[in-house]
Amino acid sequence: MNSKVEETLLATNDQKLQYTPTEKIGVLTVDSFPRLGTLAAIRFLEWVQRNPEGVIALPTGRTPEYFIKETHRFIRGWRDAETLSELEELGIDPSVEPRLSGLRFVQIDDFYPINPRHQNSFYYYVQKYYVEGFGLDFDRGLFIRSDTIGLASGESIESVWGDGGVDLSLRYRQPKTRLEERQRSVIREVDQFCVEYEDRIRELGGIGFFLGGIGPDGHIGFNVRGSDMHSTTRLTEINYETQAAAATDLGGVEVAQKRLVITIGLDTISARKDAVAIIMAAGEAKSAVVAAAIQADRHVSVPASVLQRLPNARFYLTQGAAKDLIVRRVATLAKADEIDAETRERIAFDVAVASGKRL
């Protein structure tokens, strides 16, 4: 372990980073979603202190809501006495003020095609909350902007793709119309963009700090169930579970079904062996897929399990999201004098269900 922040939390909560023999990735648990944001923010700032020009990749959507708020709070109040005291309690050195402007940002993914001015495009999100919000240097970042990839001057996404979606079979078959011929050309340019995007990440030395969420099928980025563990940046389809999760943002599942994605790959995320890769998850709805990623063998059926190859990979979880981590829960149950009867009963029930054993 090379994080004083993590050491401090584990000591405060009397936890271990990993409970053998089942856990294959380090885990830290907190009691609420806001506290999850606090932990992620303070660990991020600790890493920035040591890597002021490091390469980072941060998530979009609902997952980082409190992470963003807490990062802002700590940065704004860094020199305040109250904040200094809190920083020390959390295990971070307050004498080194983190500077975010020197960081190199890598956008993880985005829908394709989507207008980057659309408020639900991840490009828009990244510019608003990270480049502008954190004061990052735009010129030091790598971004995915689909209205500039493969399009001629004055040509729009809508004129190429309309409302019909992207037909990836054009990668391999002959086009039947002049429009399909243009579409095939654009797909090839998007594929070339992905290769060059991957090259640029590797030239920077790989991603040093990755923060993300986990999807209902265990995906990280848009690397859905079945993704190659050695996958790189690519234009690809997504499964129905992921489409359904994105439906609210995109205006319905019918729209989501017409969208492809550009995403960095599982190997892109895990290429740097000293990378700090953190997955945040909150709530019992995520507990089964979280347990599979942490406890099962590395497998394409749970893309997040690729992180088992990284010594500095972590899952930051609420108690609900950690409820299927059997050995961890039993260890908590063993401290019977420290927990109330209702909690003991709930843990015993959860462990019985998760392990398939009678109470």
Side-chain angles (χ1 to χ4, degrees):
M1 182 180 294
N2 59 8
S3 167
K4 185 65 175 177
V5 166
E6 293 181 349
E7 287 181 3
T8 300
L9 178 66
L10 291 170
T12 301
N13 294 347
D14 191 21
Q15 296 179 353
K16 296 179 182 178
L17 183 65
Q18 287 177 258
Y19 285 82
T20 57
T22 59
E23 295 182 359
K24 301 174 183 178
I25 300 178
V27 174
L28 289 91
T29 61
V30 294
D31 56 9
S32 69
F33 190 28
R35 289 297 295 173
L36 208 59
T38 303
L39 173 59
I42 205 70
R43 179 66 182 102
F44 169 63
L45 294 173
E46 179 187 41
W47 186 88
V48 173
Q49 286 178 324
R50 302 172 183 175
N51 304 273
E53 296 186 356
V55 181
I56 63 170
L58 303 177
T60 54
R62 298 177 183 86
T63 297
E65 175 185 355
Y66 288 104
F67 161 74
I68 292 171
K69 289 179 179 178
E70 289 294 83
T71 300
H72 278 299
R73 182 173 70 85
F74 285 125
I75 290 175
R76 285 196 303 266
W78 195 270
R79 297 182 182 277
D80 297 343
E82 186 176 344
T83 303
L84 287 173
S85 176
E86 184 179 2
L87 291 169
E88 290 179 343
E89 289 179 6
L90 292 169
I92 195 169
D93 180 2
S95 68
V96 182
E97 190 168 351
R99 302 293 182 182
L100 276 60
S101 59
L103 296 171
R104 294 187 177 274
F105 187 91
V106 174
Q107 185 176 337
I108 297 171
D109 50 24
D110 211 338
F111 297 102
Y112 183 86
I114 190 169
N115 191 314
R117 291 180 293 278
H118 192 300
Q119 292 191 11
N120 290 319
S121 79
F122 295 160
Y123 177 87
Y124 179 93
Y125 187 106
V126 162
Q127 298 304 315
K128 179 177 180 180
Y129 291 104
Y130 295 136
V131 176
E132 297 174 15
F134 282 6
L136 304 181
D137 185 345
F138 177 87
D139 293 331
R140 293 175 66 81
L142 299 180
F143 305 104
I144 301 169
R145 181 169 177 165
S146 59
D147 68 337
T148 63
I149 306 173
L151 300 181
S153 177
E155 191 174 38
S156 68
I157 296 174
E158 292 77 16
S159 66
V160 174
W161 300 115
D163 296 325
V166 180
D167 183 0
L168 286 183
S169 72
L170 285 168
R171 277 177 173 155
Y172 316 109
R173 68 172 175 83
Q174 288 297 316
K176 298 176 181 178
T177 65
R178 184 165 294 181
L179 177 59
E180 282 195 346
E181 187 174 332
R182 181 70 188 115
Q183 290 174 339
R184 182 178 68 172
S185 176
V186 173
I187 289 173
R188 287 176 175 172
E189 289 303 313
V190 173
D191 288 341
Q192 180 63 23
F193 166 85
C194 291
V195 171
E196 294 174 0
Y197 196 82
E198 183 75 21
D199 287 344
R200 293 174 70 188
I201 296 172
R202 305 283 175 146
E203 288 166 4
L204 291 174
I207 297 169
F209 185 95
F210 177 91
L211 179 66
I214 185 169
D217 63 341
H219 73 250
I220 50 177
F222 272 126
N223 297 282
V224 298
R225 183 183 292 123
S227 293
D228 187 343
M229 293 284 180
H230 302 288
S231 57
T232 54
T233 305
R234 64 204 184 281
L235 172 67
T236 186
E237 298 173 316
I238 52 176
N239 54 22
Y240 182 79
E241 294 156 296
T242 307
Q243 291 170 347
T248 302
D249 292 333
L250 292 177
V253 72
E254 297 83 2
V255 177
Q257 286 177 321
K258 295 178 183 178
R259 292 289 183 270
L260 301 183
V261 296
I262 297 174
T263 182
I264 63 174
L266 295 175
D267 197 61
T268 318
I269 296 168
S270 59
R272 183 168 171 167
K273 300 314 172 190
D274 65 344
V276 172
I278 297 169
I279 299 298
M280 295 190 296
E284 294 188 8
K286 293 288 181 72
S287 62
V289 71
V290 162
I294 295 169
Q295 297 180 150
D297 292 335
R298 195 162 59 95
H299 198 278
V300 294
S301 62
V302 186
S305 66
V306 71
L307 298 181
Q308 292 178 16
R309 67 164 91 158
L310 295 179
N312 293 323
R314 301 285 186 266
F315 272 73
Y316 288 179
L317 308 173
T318 62
Q319 297 294 344
K323 80 181 188 70
D324 290 338
L325 300 178
I326 297 175
V327 176
R328 180 175 294 267
R329 296 283 273 173
V330 170
T332 303
L333 189 61
K335 304 172 187 176
D337 57 337
E338 300 177 20
I339 54 178
D340 57 67
E342 182 180 348
T343 302
R344 289 199 300 271
E345 183 174 317
R346 184 172 66 252
I347 293 174
F349 181 81
D350 290 343
V351 171
V353 171
S355 59
K357 296 182 179 180
R358 294 173 63 87
L359 278 170

